[in-house]
Amino acid sequence: MIKTFIFDLDGTLLDTLGDLAASVNYALKTCDMPQHSIDDVRRFVGNGVRLLMERAVPDGAANPQFEQAFATFRQHYMQHSLDTTRPYDGIMEMLQALRAHGCRTAVVSNKFYAATQELCQHFFADSIEVAIGEHEAEGIRKKPAPDTVNEALRQLGVSREQAVYVGDSDVDVATAAASGMPCISVLWGFRDREFLLAHGATRFICHPSELLTIL
């Protein structure tokens, strides 16, 4: 029986794409660099904000203006991360139902720590117990390494034997495998079924309410 749910954040619980794209393009415009479409940014996300900007900036980290663009993105995003970001339909009801059934819940994201904390506190203060973003502590690696999932389990005080990982990307599939737990891939997020199948996903849901059927 599954009693613990570890969630990805962007593309799984929250539709953050509009605010991410706005901050990416603000940083690029500030540095006189070409801007990107929403679909471009959708393809760039999933591996943390630094890699997002490496993909968005011409020549990536080798660009002499990269650090300036990255710093501008971070500053702008922290000020505008709630402009258009919203939970996907059915997310709030699903989380409340899980908690009503006594399930434990956590978020593990490759988004930087401060933004992860702010978004989870704003939207999920009553339904997510632990929220962990990209960790700056030495030796704690970001997803797909299992380190942040292990930290979430430690903070919850639970074992992985009754836990499942829920996410929308290939990184999430790999994270679940590295963490020794099953993965449920959602089909309302940033990646489609064909992409996820090609990256090892085996179990899918089309609506948050379907998670309740595995209790």
Side-chain angles (χ1 to χ4, degrees):
M1 178 182 293
I2 301 299
K3 295 295 291 182
T4 302
F5 291 79
I6 310 294
F7 293 96
D8 174 54
L9 186 60
D10 296 49
T12 301
L13 297 181
L14 294 179
D15 183 357
T16 57
L17 191 59
D19 289 336
L20 286 169
S23 292
V24 166
N25 283 327
Y26 176 85
L28 295 174
K29 182 178 180 180
T30 298
C31 295
D32 294 319
M33 297 174 182
Q35 298 180 52
H36 291 285
S37 68
I38 286 281
D39 284 339
D40 288 339
V41 176
R42 184 191 304 274
R43 291 192 295 271
F44 297 160
V45 299
N47 298 85
V49 292
R50 187 174 183 88
L51 190 52
L52 163 63
M53 288 304 294
E54 287 180 9
R55 292 166 172 165
V57 170
D59 299 322
N63 190 307
Q65 290 183 284
F66 174 78
E67 294 298 338
Q68 177 187 348
F70 182 48
T72 301
F73 165 83
R74 287 178 64 106
Q75 180 180 24
H76 187 272
Y77 187 69
M78 286 303 299
Q79 296 172 347
H80 296 277
S81 64
L82 294 170
D83 286 1
T84 64
T85 289
R86 296 291 183 272
Y88 289 100
D89 289 346
I91 290 294
M92 302 302 290
E93 295 82 357
M94 175 269 292
L95 290 174
Q96 291 162 6
L98 290 180
R99 297 292 290 146
H101 281 85
C103 296
R104 310 299 301 278
T105 56
V107 160
V108 172
S109 175
N110 274 346
K111 185 187 291 293
F112 49 96
Y113 198 91
T116 301
Q117 290 283 314
E118 179 182 42
L119 289 169
C120 286
Q121 181 62 32
H122 181 81
F123 289 108
F124 309 124
D126 296 329
S127 53
I128 295 293
E129 298 173 75
V130 171
I132 298 177
E134 185 174 350
H135 218 289
E136 297 178 356
E138 184 177 354
I140 298 183
R141 301 164 295 169
K142 69 179 184 178
K143 300 186 300 183
D147 301 34
T148 47
V149 172
N150 292 340
E151 177 62 14
L153 294 172
R154 185 193 69 78
Q155 290 189 29
L156 288 172
V158 299
S159 68
R160 71 189 70 247
E161 282 69 32
Q162 292 183 310
V164 66
Y165 190 95
V166 184
D168 74 305
S169 74
D170 53 321
V171 174
D172 297 317
V173 174
T175 300
S179 302
M181 61 180 62
C183 183
I184 296 177
S185 297
V186 308
L187 295 178
W188 56 80
F190 297 163
R191 302 289 185 263
D192 60 26
R193 181 188 291 268
E194 290 72 23
F195 179 92
L196 292 167
L197 281 169
H199 288 85
T202 59
R203 187 170 183 181
F204 303 92
I205 58 173
C206 297
H207 190 272
S209 62
E210 293 176 52
L211 269 187
L212 304 176
T213 66
I214 71 172
L215 295 178

